[in-house]
Amino acid sequence: MAAIGETRRVGLAGPTAMLALVSLAHAVTHVYAALFPLIYPIIQREWDVSYAVLGAIVGLANFAGGLLQLGFGIIGRMYPRNLLLGLGNVLWGVSTALTALTTSFAPFAALRFVAATANAPQHPVGLGMISDRYPRERRGVALAVNYAGGNLGTLLVPLIAVALISQFGWQGTLWLFALPGVIVGIVLMVALPDLNRNVAGAAPVPTVQRLGRLFANHNVRALLGASGVAAAGQGLGPLLIFVPLYLTNGLGLSAAGVGVLYTTLLLGGAVGPLISGRLSDRLGRRPILIFNLVLSALCMTLVIVVGGPALPLLGIGLFLLGMFAFTESSLIQVFLADSVAATDRELVFGLYFAWVFTIGAPWTALIGAIVDRAGFAPAFALMAAAYLGAAALVIPSREPAETPA
């Protein structure tokens, strides 16, 4: 079965080359997302920035970025998507270079909002391009490759960035990291055509009507509900924030031990989506998604029970937790792509990411408050319960007989 509107064009017009380049762009955005948390402690010391102020700025920037993703979901088919993606990557690189010039917190904070704007097109626009070019029976693997590409970018940063910061300082490191965004963005704009933008010559439909169509879709409602609950333990959210804190402050491990176990979690997050994506292509999205959420809860329980005395077993538990917890988002995305018409995919992806970014903020605050008052075990237990709650919300969903036209 050929992808919709697929042509015989070769090179970067082919589905494989397109997937590789969009996934590379996704990886670059994750590189930046993983880089700046390593910069924050330094600028806190240099500029005497409190945790409250830093947390407020980062939270507001993420919130704004989430809303902007919905905006790019709305305009995703109005403009060439390769240009939207490319400009986003270039802006990431430029904002990173400008951040290297800052000498106080105010301009540094302002550039965090520029970075949120740069990041906004990546998910709704990139996922829309991939979903258009791959048929349903291969879409799970394709979106998993893109998701794993982002996780790979996250995985590579800690070791490289720490070494560069020690050698060149944080400003010099930002200058070096500015280059990939600019280079990849230019390649996206110049060499990657946007095929399938106007699927089947569909006439424009007002955004309000399109949103109404999405909310009338049973699967969209079920999956958005599940993602809102699972956001309590989402891989690229609370899990990445609180697991390193648990290893450092809860178990008192050395920096080297934390680095190894944290990398183990991220490695599982890079491998898991590829396996589950392929399985979902063969066995269906719904059963694999439920299976992953239940196993996420079991693995989180294992991490709670094992604690510090058995570090090899803890490493295994974190690797498996990364495999399953990081996969939830990828599987929900491909399930949404299967459940809506091609012309609504950018919008549903924008809606999904705006919702997850928005709901993730109060979840993170709640989990942090629980850690402050009761410790890590109750907070992780809440995450495990959230995985099970999300699985229950997925159960009423239905595998579509075919992707809507």
Side-chain angles (χ1 to χ4, degrees):
M1 176 180 176
I4 299 173
E6 188 168 323
T7 73
R8 294 183 177 275
R9 294 176 66 180
V10 296
L12 293 182
T16 302
M18 179 276 302
L19 175 61
L21 191 51
V22 172
S23 299
L24 176 61
H26 191 206
V28 169
T29 64
H30 276 245
V31 163
Y32 292 125
L35 171 63
F36 276 89
L38 299 174
I39 305 295
Y40 295 150
I42 303 174
I43 63 107
Q44 274 190 294
R45 293 192 300 268
E46 290 187 1
W47 298 335
D48 193 25
V49 179
S50 69
Y51 284 102
V53 170
L54 180 63
I57 292 299
V58 173
L60 286 172
N62 288 340
F63 177 76
L67 295 181
L68 285 170
Q69 292 195 52
L70 177 57
F72 279 99
I74 293 171
I75 69 172
R77 288 185 184 269
M78 298 179 184
Y79 304 97
R81 293 176 293 185
N82 60 318
L83 294 184
L84 295 176
L85 278 182
L87 287 171
N89 275 261
V90 169
L91 186 57
W92 251 122
V94 171
S95 67
T96 300
L98 292 175
T99 302
L101 299 175
T102 58
T103 56
S104 63
F105 185 67
F108 183 97
L111 286 165
R112 293 298 82 224
F113 287 87
V114 176
T117 303
N119 189 50
Q122 181 64 52
H123 292 124
V125 175
L127 291 173
M129 291 184 72
I130 296 170
S131 298
D132 282 355
R133 299 302 307 282
Y134 281 85
R136 180 175 168 180
E137 62 269 18
R138 295 169 57 201
R139 191 175 293 144
V141 169
L143 291 186
V145 167
N146 178 69
Y147 191 84
N151 289 345
L152 182 61
T154 306
L155 179 64
L156 292 175
V157 168
L159 298 178
I160 298 174
V162 168
L164 290 175
I165 290 171
S166 65
Q167 183 69 29
F168 302 106
W170 68 269
Q171 291 99 334
T173 300
L174 289 183
W175 276 111
L176 293 173
F177 272 91
L179 293 175
V182 174
I183 293 170
V184 172
I186 291 173
V187 173
L188 280 165
M189 291 188 287
V190 173
L192 180 67
D194 180 13
L195 304 179
N196 307 87
R197 179 159 65 96
N198 297 311
V199 177
V205 178
T207 299
V208 173
Q209 184 176 336
R210 293 169 66 201
L211 285 170
R213 187 164 63 196
L214 291 180
F215 282 113
N217 186 308
H218 176 80
N219 275 6
V220 171
R221 295 197 307 272
L223 294 171
L224 289 179
S227 65
V229 174
Q234 190 179 45
L236 295 174
L239 203 61
L240 278 190
I241 295 171
F242 290 102
V243 165
L245 291 173
Y246 169 64
L247 297 175
T248 302
N249 300 328
L251 300 182
L253 299 181
S254 66
V258 172
V260 170
L261 289 174
Y262 183 44
T263 302
T264 300
L265 174 75
L266 295 176
L267 183 60
V271 172
L274 296 174
I275 297 173
S276 294
R278 183 171 294 276
L279 287 174
S280 77
D281 283 341
R282 296 180 179 180
L283 304 177
R285 318 298 183 200
R286 179 176 172 273
I288 300 302
L289 177 55
I290 294 171
F291 177 77
N292 271 269
L293 287 166
V294 171
L295 285 182
S296 297
L298 293 176
C299 291
M300 179 59 84
T301 303
L302 174 63
V303 169
I304 297 171
V305 171
V306 170
L311 289 183
L313 189 57
L314 178 60
I316 293 172
L318 287 172
F319 177 79
L320 294 175
L321 179 62
M323 277 191 65
F324 299 119
F326 278 81
T327 300
E328 165 264 328
S329 182
S330 175
L331 288 173
I332 286 182
Q333 290 164 29
V334 71
F335 204 167
L336 286 170
D338 290 348
S339 302
V340 304
T343 50
D344 286 335
R345 284 183 189 138
E346 280 84 4
L347 183 57
V348 80
F349 289 140
L351 180 64
Y352 165 77
F353 282 103
W355 166 238
V356 170
F357 272 62
T358 301
I359 198 65
W363 270 126
T364 302
L366 174 60
I367 292 168
I370 293 173
V371 172
D372 281 337
R373 296 190 178 189
F376 285 98
F380 287 173
L382 174 61
M383 291 186 189
Y387 296 137
L388 294 178
L393 290 173
V394 174
I395 290 174
S397 65
R398 298 183 291 269
E399 295 278 349
E402 59 183 20
T403 300

